[in-house]
Amino acid sequence: MVSLAAILIVLASPSLCRSHVSFLFRVMSLVFLLGTTQAVFRSGNPEVNMNISQIISYWGYPDEVYDIVTEDGYVLGLYRIPYGKTNNDNSTQRLVVYLQHGLFTSASSWISNLPNNSLGFILADAGYDVWMGNSRGTTWSRKHTYLNTNSKEFWAFSFDEMAKYDLPASINFIVRHTGQEGIFYVGHSQGTSIAFITFSTIPKIAGRIKVFFALAPVFSIKNSNSPLIKMAYRWRSLIKTFFGSKDFLPNTSFKRFVGSKLCPLKIIGKICRDILFMMYGCDLENLNMSRMDVYMSQNPAGTSIQNMVHWSQLFNSSHLRAFDWGSPALNLVHFNQATPPFYNVTDMNVSTATWNGGNDLVADPEDVENLLSEITHHIYHKTISYYNHIDFLFGLDVYQQVYHEIIDIIRGSL
């Protein structure tokens, strides 16, 4: 996860000691010199080198994986935990819960903690049929039926396309495969953003959602204090010059090595933690440091440069709007109007429960407050004062604060 972008964030942050930054550079230089000599580093958690199916199987759960194809040809990895270890009668039809990850993460974020603290495993053990999606461009969704992954055309997408194509393809596949017309949806971060768009613009998909659970919901980033988002905004005109027009923060073998071998080391582990906190908000007491190598080797899972440019376009906006293609003529081609349209969450006819954190640098509490006033069918809200953006995935007390409430609402809505 330590990359050029992350290093730039570190250098721009006054909260991190300069000696740590200098040490990080020295360590990274040493890694390059060592090459493949990795035996000097101690082993950590075995999941760091596993794919999603292997992680699920490692903990003794059944797993299924499907490659689904979107209307515009992207091949997405869709993962399933059909039942739990304590509810293993596969003859019974179970209620479906679909989990959608956020920006820079993948479906692995739902199973990166121990089973008693990972939502994917918790829901399976509670008796549900769990499905986990992967947005285009992430580690497990980097294929296309006819486009080359290294082409600019492959990476010409943002969360617009995730909402228009990825989410409908995933939900329609699950409905066809299980025979269940209604499912529960849990989204985190960008996983809520694309849901707000899909559910407000495609009524057929919205009609299949029993309850939408929005964790750290993001519909506006006007007040966001995330250094990464601020960097993308300030350097928006230079992003393509520096990074090109393809992928951004992909999960490379070198980053997995840094996450799995360096982040477990005591002093570097603190730097890895600081990078997470500077991106998402600080919560020193609620992160399981013994799982840091899993978090940092599985993430970031990558996205497109165009997606980052899209988010940078929204920095001063109080609402989500479609990607600005750069000129009235190009916008006319894509939207039949000279400016990109806004997405209106008031058009979403889905029962929605929300949770947000007081220390979240991405889903700023003021932005969340503005969003809540626009959700038409809002059934529950909770603010957790000390939570940051990733506490909803990796927080030590996330079951007590969030997950058991999701299960309670599911059971109460039957």
Side-chain angles (χ1 to χ4, degrees):
M1 190 167 186
V2 179
S3 62
L4 174 60
I7 292 170
L8 290 171
I9 295 168
V10 172
L11 291 172
S13 173
S15 64
L16 188 64
C17 174
R18 293 294 176 183
S19 63
H20 281 183
V21 176
S22 176
F23 181 76
L24 179 59
F25 276 116
R26 293 198 300 270
V27 169
M28 293 183 70
S29 298
L30 177 62
V31 172
F32 282 116
L33 291 173
L34 286 173
T36 59
T37 307
Q38 300 179 11
V40 295
F41 300 99
R42 68 177 178 85
S43 298
N45 292 294
E47 301 100 293
V48 297
N49 295 314
M50 295 182 183
N51 60 35
I52 293 173
S53 291
Q54 290 169 333
I55 294 174
I56 296 171
S57 297
Y58 172 77
W59 290 110
Y61 290 81
D63 75 279
E64 298 175 10
V65 59
Y66 302 89
D67 282 340
I68 63 170
V69 181
T70 67
E71 187 179 325
D72 58 343
Y74 285 80
V75 181
L76 313 178
L78 185 62
Y79 292 81
R80 183 188 192 188
I81 310 175
Y83 51 89
K85 289 192 293 187
T86 57
N87 296 276
N88 53 14
D89 180 8
N90 199 27
S91 62
T92 304
Q93 187 179 58
R94 301 170 186 275
L95 294 173
V96 172
V97 185
Y98 177 83
L99 310 180
Q100 183 61 46
H101 65 83
L103 182 64
F104 300 137
T105 60
S106 73
S108 67
S109 62
W110 303 110
I111 53 171
S112 288
N113 273 331
L114 301 178
N116 64 355
N117 213 40
S118 294
L119 185 57
F121 295 135
I122 289 170
L123 289 170
D125 281 333
Y128 302 107
D129 183 359
V130 180
W131 293 74
M132 300 179 292
N134 286 282
S135 296
R136 61 182 63 192
T138 59
T139 308
W140 318 110
S141 298
R142 293 170 63 93
K143 294 186 291 184
H144 197 277
T145 54
Y146 57 87
L147 292 176
N148 189 305
T149 306
N150 292 323
S151 67
K152 291 182 180 180
E153 291 77 13
F154 178 92
W155 295 100
F157 65 81
S158 71
F159 59 78
D160 283 342
E161 286 74 21
M162 299 175 198
K164 184 178 181 180
Y165 300 114
D166 295 5
L167 202 54
S170 299
I171 291 174
N172 285 333
F173 179 88
I174 293 169
V175 169
R176 290 194 303 269
H177 192 83
T178 64
Q180 296 195 44
E181 289 294 328
I183 68 176
F184 296 92
Y185 181 100
V186 182
H188 173 251
S189 186
Q190 184 178 262
T192 70
S193 308
I194 61 176
F196 286 125
I197 297 171
T198 301
F199 301 159
S200 63
T201 59
I202 309 178
K204 182 179 179 180
I205 299 298
R208 289 176 166 169
I209 307 303
K210 292 184 176 181
V211 180
F212 169 22
F213 300 96
L215 312 183
V218 179
F219 194 75
S220 162
I221 57 168
K222 183 176 182 179
N223 298 293
S224 173
N225 286 308
S226 169
L228 185 59
I229 293 176
K230 287 185 174 182
M231 182 188 74
Y233 174 72
R234 290 169 183 165
W235 293 359
R236 60 194 182 281
S237 61
L238 299 175
I239 286 179
K240 288 190 176 182
T241 301
F242 279 117
F243 297 102
S245 301
K246 298 179 183 178
D247 54 344
F248 184 75
L249 295 184
N251 194 314
T252 63
S253 57
F254 174 69
K255 288 175 188 172
R256 289 192 294 273
F257 171 63
V258 171
S260 63
K261 300 300 182 182
L262 297 186
C263 286
L265 302 178
K266 187 174 182 181
I267 187 168
I268 301 178
K270 292 179 180 179
I271 295 173
C272 295
R273 182 197 66 188
D274 286 343
I275 290 172
L276 285 178
F277 287 166
M278 281 184 294
M279 292 171 66
Y280 301 122
C282 185
D283 187 358
L284 291 171
E285 303 299 325
N286 205 32
L287 187 67
N288 187 348
M289 291 297 291
S290 70
R291 305 292 294 176
M292 182 64 73
D293 57 344
V294 180
Y295 308 151
M296 302 298 277
S297 61
Q298 294 286 331
N299 303 292
T303 190
S304 68
I305 291 292
Q306 183 165 312
N307 196 36
M308 294 305 299
V309 171
H310 193 173
W311 279 114
S312 74
Q313 293 174 351
L314 302 173
F315 191 68
N316 286 323
S317 175
S318 58
H319 289 80
L320 272 182
R321 68 188 307 175
F323 181 75
D324 189 337
W325 289 89
S327 72
L330 288 174
N331 286 332
L332 278 169
V333 171
H334 288 276
F335 310 121
N336 294 318
Q337 61 184 62
T339 58
F342 286 98
Y343 296 114
N344 190 356
V345 72
T346 59
D347 294 334
M348 184 180 71
N349 188 24
V350 177
S351 296
T352 305
T354 56
W355 289 258
N356 78 298
N359 283 336
D360 193 331
L361 294 183
V362 180
D364 181 85
E366 187 174 346
D367 289 331
V368 173
E369 187 66 28
N370 293 333
L371 164 66
L372 299 184
S373 65
E374 300 188 26
I375 298 177
T376 306
H377 301 280
H378 200 196
I379 62 172
Y380 180 77
H381 176 69
K382 180 179 183 179
T383 297
I384 307 170
S385 61
Y386 58 92
Y387 258 39
N388 67 20
H389 203 62
I390 56 171
D391 278 325
F392 294 95
L393 300 174
F394 304 143
L396 288 170
D397 63 354
V398 67
Y399 175 80
Q400 291 79 11
Q401 290 288 0
V402 181
Y403 295 168
H404 87 87
E405 294 182 341
I406 291 175
I407 294 173
D408 288 344
I409 293 173
I410 292 175
R411 290 172 175 168
S413 67
L414 302 181

